Amino acid sequence: MSRSAIYPSLEGKIVFITGGASGIGASTVRAFDRQGAVVGIIDIDSSSANQLITDLDGPHQFVQCDLRNIDELTSAISKLERKIGKAQVLVNNAARDDRHDWREIDANYWNERMDINLRHMFFAIQQIAPWMIDERCGSIVNIGSNSWWECGAGFPAYATAKSAVHGLTRTMARELGAYNIRVNTVVPGWIMTKRQKDLWVTPEALQKQLDRQCIPTPIEPEYVANMVAFLSSEDAKMCTAGNFMVEGGSI
């Protein structure tokens, strides 16, 4: 049983989460489920998303979407609005940190990395924010990355896209703040998702990361999800344009 905080202001809230089928996204779905929120998942992975919804008790919904296609994203958001209502919280989580050599990538690969790690965030905000403006409230949480803060190597296109998330957050916080809409970035460290463990976590690499952290403990995705839930609640009413680190002090 989770001992995480419960925020009464999140009960019944409608939350849209991109990339919510697995990893940090799935943990975030579970966190909002514990809060009594209603979650709409947008993801390309239908199998994992449907299994997650089956495992939870809430009236959550899933729409399959390749976020690299903005028309698909627009359609997916509209479908979720018809199913569960308009989002009061948007979590722009979807991303892929595939490794790549800067000597070998071409323009097409570079653009695809921007599409999957950055572009969809703006267009999700563009579609959802007008209703939040009408309601004079809302919370948008963009998921950033410790990669560029730590000068990480091995994924320059990914790190560039993730650094731009912070610019998007701060400018949209200014654009939307007058309407009582908050926009923040959560910055995960190296989070021990199944994908990370399957592809890149080795004893040597993990120890190197733990040596960098002030708190030398592997970071589970639930800690990122807990921060997202807090920032989405009324307890964080005066938090906007900020970077909220969940990286054990590695930056």
Side-chain angles (χ1 to χ4, degrees):
M1 186 176 185
S2 174
R3 299 183 60 172
S4 301
I6 296 296
Y7 303 103
S9 61
L10 290 178
E11 185 174 2
K13 283 289 178 70
I14 298 170
V15 182
F16 288 4
I17 301 176
T18 65
S22 61
I24 291 171
S27 288
T28 305
V29 172
R30 294 188 188 97
F32 281 108
D33 177 75
R34 288 195 300 271
Q35 301 292 336
V38 180
V39 182
I41 300 171
I42 300 173
D43 203 296
I44 199 169
D45 183 356
S46 59
S47 176
S48 296
N50 285 321
Q51 184 59 57
L52 176 60
I53 287 175
T54 299
D55 292 341
L56 300 175
D57 295 329
H60 314 303
Q61 295 290 328
F62 161 67
V63 175
Q64 187 176 34
C65 171
D66 183 343
L67 290 161
R68 293 170 295 187
N69 184 319
I70 299 304
D71 289 339
E72 280 193 32
L73 172 62
T74 299
S75 176
I77 291 172
S78 295
K79 287 177 182 176
L80 283 179
E81 289 175 344
R82 290 193 294 270
K83 288 174 179 282
I84 59 176
K86 294 182 180 293
Q88 297 159 295
V89 175
L90 169 64
V91 182
N92 276 318
N93 165 74
R96 284 184 68 89
D97 60 345
D98 297 326
R99 275 40 173 180
H100 47 271
D101 188 324
W102 63 270
R103 302 169 187 84
E104 298 174 358
I105 62 176
D106 59 16
N108 289 332
Y109 185 85
W110 179 271
N111 291 338
E112 192 269 346
R113 292 295 93 185
M114 299 302 120
D115 291 348
I116 202 167
N117 292 305
L118 174 65
R119 188 176 66 150
H120 63 86
M121 293 189 178
F122 171 78
F123 286 100
I125 294 171
Q126 185 187 61
Q127 185 170 352
I128 289 171
W131 187 81
M132 292 182 174
I133 289 172
D134 289 342
E135 295 296 306
R136 293 299 192 272
C137 66
S139 176
I140 298 167
V141 180
N142 300 321
I143 303 300
S145 171
N146 67 330
S147 58
W148 67 278
W149 294 84
E150 295 185 3
C151 302
F155 39 35
Y158 170 79
T160 300
K162 280 299 189 178
S163 70
V165 170
H166 300 266
L168 176 63
T169 290
R170 291 183 63 78
T171 192
M172 294 311 299
R174 178 61 69 185
E175 294 277 2
L176 301 175
Y179 307 102
N180 198 34
I181 300 167
R182 297 174 287 111
V183 189
N184 289 291
T185 302
V186 170
V187 184
W190 195 11
I191 307 303
M192 296 295 105
T193 63
K194 183 178 184 300
R195 171 177 161 83
Q196 298 298 313
K197 292 175 181 177
D198 288 347
L199 295 178
W200 298 299
V201 175
T202 64
E204 296 77 17
L206 179 57
Q207 188 57 56
K208 183 177 180 180
Q209 182 64 27
L210 296 181
D211 289 344
R212 186 181 183 105
Q213 294 176 194
C214 295
I215 302 173
T217 302
I219 307 171
E220 297 299 324
E222 67 183 90
Y223 295 111
V224 181
N226 290 344
M227 180 63 79
V228 173
F230 164 70
L231 290 171
S232 303
S233 74
E234 289 300 306
D235 291 58
K237 191 173 181 64
M238 295 308 294
C239 298
T240 197
N243 297 312
F244 291 82
M245 311 297 190
V246 187
E247 35 62 81
S250 65
I251 296 172

